[in-house]
Amino acid sequence: MAVTIAKERWTNKVAEVVLGTEPNIVKIGGESTLPFLHFEGEMPNRPAVALEVWDMEPTNWPEILTSAYAGVLNDPVAWAKKCVEYGADLVCLTMVSAHPDNKNTSPEECAQVAKAVADAVNVPLIILGCGIEEKDAQVLEKVAENLSGRNFLLGCATQENYKTITAACIVHGHNIIASSPLDINLEKQLNILITEMNLAANRIIIDPSVGALGYGIEYAYSIMERTRIGALTGDKMMAMPVICLLGQEVWKTKEAKSTTEEAPEWGNQERRAILWEVTTAVAFAQAGGSLFVMRHPESLKQFRAHIDKLMQSNTY
């Protein structure tokens, strides 16, 4: 007996964003359906995965994570090359040292590091600040100038600093991460403010501020799902791809950081922590995430295997 599949008819699609320059570009977004419902619309680009690099050696990462990057953690260029060896689609360079509580590195020094990393790898860069809004505006402005024309992704822009970062992206040909605190109205408002400065909508990536599995993941899932539905039903200010900065969230949880000896009832730490990162990523892929920033290379490998299966045609 023939089975008839009910299909939604959407009126719009997610914008397609191109990162990097030829021949090393990464395309994200472009979907005209809910995630992985290939029978209902198009999903032209698979979710992309970046591995995270810091511009200084981490002091609070667990050994099972640092061991994957043994010998390169004090050299962001070598670290970035290792990420590419592991198969990352992009490298996410985080300027942790710029934080006043760390080294308070100058914007000029950060820009030099970013240039060195960009010249050393053949994948696009995501470049994040230190999380202090005023300092991030200064750092990203200088980074944008030093990497002019490379079409990278810079963030995070917030209500407090978006003007400086947006202007830098316009002048120097980059894309921007618009970050809002798990609030769909603030998310949309920031996108409107950025586009009013004449940065094209297809150069904006939404950061909804995700949480890890067990730590508010359902709130982020809901915001992302509503964002995707808004995009498909015609809201142009919600029709941008979504980035999930999940590695930084997963690897600060007690489930990822507690050793096997400290929590024997939770099982082997390495297997547990990697599964925590993979499961978080898989959930957000189903919610509509297009770009994922992870930390452990084994997490990337397992997540990519899952995406391979989800990208197989299920047309009827």
Side-chain angles (χ1 to χ4, degrees), residues 7 37 42 117 129 131 138 186 190 203 215 230 292 299 310:
K7 300 180 182 180
L37 299 187
E42 294 184 349
V117 171
Q138 298 169 4
L186 293 177
L190 183 56
R203 290 172 61 187
Y215 294 82
F292 297 81
S299 302
L310 288 174

Side-chain angles (χ1 to χ4, degrees), residues 75-278:
D75 181 353
V77 170
W79 189 350
K81 289 180 178 178
K82 177 65 73 172
C83 290
V84 175
E85 288 177 21
Y86 282 137
D89 299 310
L90 308 94
V91 167
C92 180
L93 176 62
T94 305
M95 297 297 180
V96 180
S97 74
H99 197 290
D101 292 341
N102 292 326
K103 297 181 180 180
N104 202 24
T105 306
S106 71
E108 291 75 17
E109 290 174 287
C110 291
Q112 291 174 4
V113 172
K115 179 71 160 56
V117 171
D119 290 343
V121 296
N122 62 350
V123 300
L125 296 190
I126 305 166
I127 302 163
L128 304 180
C130 64
I132 302 296
E133 290 167 320
E134 184 179 355
K135 184 67 179 284
D136 285 353
Q138 298 169 4
V139 167
L140 293 173
E141 184 177 32
K142 187 60 67 174
V143 167
E145 179 184 351
N146 215 28
L147 296 174
S148 187
R150 303 289 285 267
N151 195 34
F152 289 155
L153 180 59
L154 310 184
C156 291
T158 68
Q159 291 265 9
E160 304 302 320
N161 65 8
Y162 76 90
K163 290 182 179 179
T164 301
I165 300 172
T166 301
C169 287
I170 293 171
V171 171
H172 299 293
H174 298 294
N175 307 276
I176 195 168
I177 300 172
S179 182
S180 53
L182 280 178
D183 186 305
I184 200 160
N185 295 313
L186 293 177
E187 172 189 299
K188 182 175 177 178
Q189 181 182 7
L190 183 56
N191 291 339
I192 292 171
L193 291 171
I194 291 172
T195 55
E196 285 179 345
M197 289 186 64
N198 292 322
L199 184 68
N202 67 351
R203 290 172 61 187
I204 300 172
I205 305 288
I206 294 170
D207 166 31
S209 303
V210 302
L213 176 66
Y215 294 82
I217 193 172
E218 64 276 15
Y219 296 106
Y221 190 104
S222 176
I223 293 292
M224 290 169 63
E225 192 174 48
R226 291 170 62 192
T227 298
R228 172 60 65 88
I229 292 172
L232 296 178
T233 53
D235 192 330
K236 299 291 187 182
M237 290 299 100
M238 294 172 70
M240 295 85 169
V242 171
I243 185 172
C244 300
L245 304 172
L246 62 97
Q248 64 186 24
E249 301 299 322
V250 168
W251 288 95
K252 66 184 181 185
T253 67
K254 62 180 182 294
E255 288 83 359
K257 296 182 74 171
S258 298
T259 66
T260 307
E261 292 72 28
E262 290 170 338
E265 68 277 12
W266 288 351
N268 177 268
Q269 182 194 7
E270 183 171 11
R271 182 171 185 270
R272 175 196 342 126
I274 289 169
L275 283 174
W276 214 265
E277 189 168 30
V278 173

